[in-house]
C-alpha cells in the first residue's frame, strides 16, 4: 500500500539555520509525484515544491529544495536560512494514479529567534 | 491567482443536524477534493470529483456525501452530524493530471455538539 511517513512530529531550529524535514514514501508505482505543503497557524495549505519521479534534478524553489533519493524512497525538504515566518506545519504528500494525494502526518517546525 | 473559497470558517452544529459545507473555485479546475484534518493524522480524503456530477470515494467516506452540479462548486454533506465529525474540513481543487498541485481553501472548522 502507498504510504508517506514523516518521522519528526516537531522540530525547533534557530533562526537563519538550515533545516531538513524528513519524508519517506512507499509505492510500487514507477510514476509518482512528491509534494511539500506548508500550513501556518492561520490554517491555509500553501504549496511549496514538487518533484516528479522521473525528474533527474532535485527540485528547488527559492529557499526550498527537495533532496530526492529515489533508491532510498526519501524526499526530504530543505529550507535554507530559516526565518521566523517559516514556523508552521509541513506536510509531505505523494500523488498516485487515481487523482489522489497521500499525506504524511506532518511536522511542526518552530523557528527560534 | 487561483482562489478556492469555503462557505464558513467556523461552524457549530448539533448532533443529528444535516450540515452543508460548500466549496467554490474560480479557475475552471476539473478536480475537486474534500479532506478532513485531525491532529496527528494528516489529511484524509473524504471524496473527490474529477468532473461535474462525478464523484469518487476517498479513504473515509462513511457519514458523508457530496454533490457537484456545477464545475466550480463542490459540496460536502453530513447527513446526520455526529460528535466524531468534529474536525477541520479542507477543500482543494486541481487541474489535469494527478501530478499537478492542489490549491486549498481556508478550511472550515466544524464543531458538532
Amino acid at each position: 500500500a502507498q504510504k508517506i511517513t514523516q518521522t519528526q512530529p516537531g522540530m525547533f531550529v534557530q533562526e537563519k539555520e538550515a533545516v531538513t524535514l524528513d519524508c519517506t514514501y512507499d509505492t510500487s508505482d514507477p510514476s509518482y509525484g512528491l509534494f511539500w505543503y506548508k500550513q501556518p497557524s492561520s490554517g491555509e495549505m500553501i504549496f511549496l515544491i514538487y518533484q516528479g519521479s522521473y525528474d533527474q534534478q532535485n527540485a528547488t524553489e527559492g529557499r526550498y529544495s527537495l533532496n530526492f533519493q529515489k533508491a532510498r524512497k526519501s524526499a526530504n525538504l530543505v529550507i535554507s536560512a530559516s526565518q521566523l515566518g517559516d514556523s508552521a506545519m509541513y506536510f509531505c504528500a505523494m500523488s498516485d494514479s487515481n487523482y489522489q494525494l497521500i499525506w504524511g502526518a506532518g511536522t511542526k517546525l518552530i523557528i527560534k529567534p | 491567482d487561483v482562489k478556492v473559497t469555503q462557505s464558513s470558517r467556523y461552524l457549530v452544529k448539533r448532533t443529528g443536524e444535516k450540515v452543508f459545507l460548500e466549496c467554490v473555485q474560480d479557475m475552471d479546475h476539473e478536480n475537486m477534493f474534500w479532506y478532513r484534518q485531525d491532529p496527528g493524522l494528516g489529511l484524509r480524503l473524504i471524496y473527490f470529483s474529477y468532473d461535474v456530477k462525478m464523484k469518487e470515494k476517498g479513504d473515509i467516506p462513511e457519514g458523508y456525501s457530496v454533490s457537484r452540479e456545477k464545475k466550480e462548486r463542490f459540496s460536502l454533506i453530513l447527513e446526520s452530524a455526529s460528535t466524531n465529525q468534529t474536525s477541520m474540513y479542507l477543500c482543494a481543487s486541481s487541474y489535469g493530471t494527478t501530478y499537478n498541485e492542489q490549491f486549498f481553501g481556508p478550511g472550515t472548522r466544524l464543531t458538532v455538539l
Side-chain angles (χ1 to χ4, degrees):
Chain A
Q2 292 168 315
K3 189 177 177 182
I4 291 280
T5 303
Q6 293 180 255
T7 56
Q8 307 152 308
M11 285 185 72
F12 288 94
V13 173
Q14 203 68 40
E15 189 180 9
K16 298 181 184 163
E17 288 183 354
V19 57
T20 298
L21 304 180
D22 295 340
C23 173
T24 58
Y25 60 93
D26 191 14
T27 181
S28 56
D29 194 336
S31 180
Y32 51 89
L34 295 155
F35 299 79
W36 277 94
Y37 283 81
K38 172 184 178 182
Q39 187 180 39
S41 56
S42 53
E44 77 272 26
M45 295 287 279
I46 302 166
F47 166 74
L48 295 178
I49 197 166
Y50 167 80
Q51 178 87 40
S53 58
Y54 295 118
D55 293 343
Q56 296 295 317
Q57 305 273 1
N58 283 346
T60 60
E61 289 285 349
R63 293 187 299 114
Y64 304 107
S65 60
L66 200 151
N67 184 1
F68 182 46
Q69 298 187 41
K70 198 169 182 177
R72 297 180 62 186
K73 293 190 174 179
S74 78
N76 298 340
L77 177 71
V78 180
I79 307 173
S80 63
S82 58
Q83 302 170 357
L84 295 178
D86 294 333
S87 294
M89 284 291 290
Y90 288 82
F91 292 94
C92 179
M94 177 173 64
S95 60
D96 69 2
S97 54
N98 295 318
Y99 300 92
Q100 298 184 46
L101 287 182
I102 295 126
W103 295 82
T107 296
K108 184 166 186 173
L109 176 64
I110 296 173
I111 309 297
K112 298 186 292 183
Chain B
D1 273 355
V2 175
K3 193 164 183 183
V4 181
T5 57
Q6 294 183 229
S7 48
S8 306
R9 287 302 304 269
Y10 300 93
L11 208 54
V12 180
K13 295 291 182 181
R14 297 210 174 270
T15 301
E17 281 192 76
K18 191 168 186 175
V19 182
F20 293 87
L21 302 182
E22 299 248 299
C23 175
V24 178
Q25 49 93 3
D26 66 359
M27 281 301 290
D28 203 35
H29 284 173
E30 299 95 331
N31 310 316
M32 296 188 75
F33 308 82
W34 273 108
Y35 294 93
R36 67 177 280 176
Q37 183 180 17
D38 301 288
L41 297 178
L43 275 70
R44 293 181 291 167
L45 182 66
I46 305 171
Y47 270 96
F48 69 100
S49 167
Y50 53 87
D51 202 353
V52 176
K53 297 192 186 294
M54 305 300 289
K55 60 186 179 186
E56 294 285 341
K57 291 180 180 179
D59 299 319
I60 51 164
E62 298 77 19
Y64 304 94
S65 62
V66 290
S67 171
R68 192 163 181 205
E69 296 295 318
K70 293 185 177 181
K71 192 174 186 179
E72 67 271 17
R73 189 180 297 268
F74 193 34
S75 301
L76 179 70
I77 303 148
L78 286 67
E79 294 290 341
S80 177
S82 63
T83 54
N84 62 13
Q85 292 177 310
T86 292
S87 187
M88 170 71 91
Y89 290 87
L90 292 166
C91 174
S93 72
S94 70
Y95 72 93
T97 73
T98 185
Y99 305 113
N100 292 319
E101 68 188 269
Q102 294 183 11
F103 295 86
F104 283 81
T108 296
R109 188 166 293 282
L110 173 67
T111 301
V112 182
L113 302 176

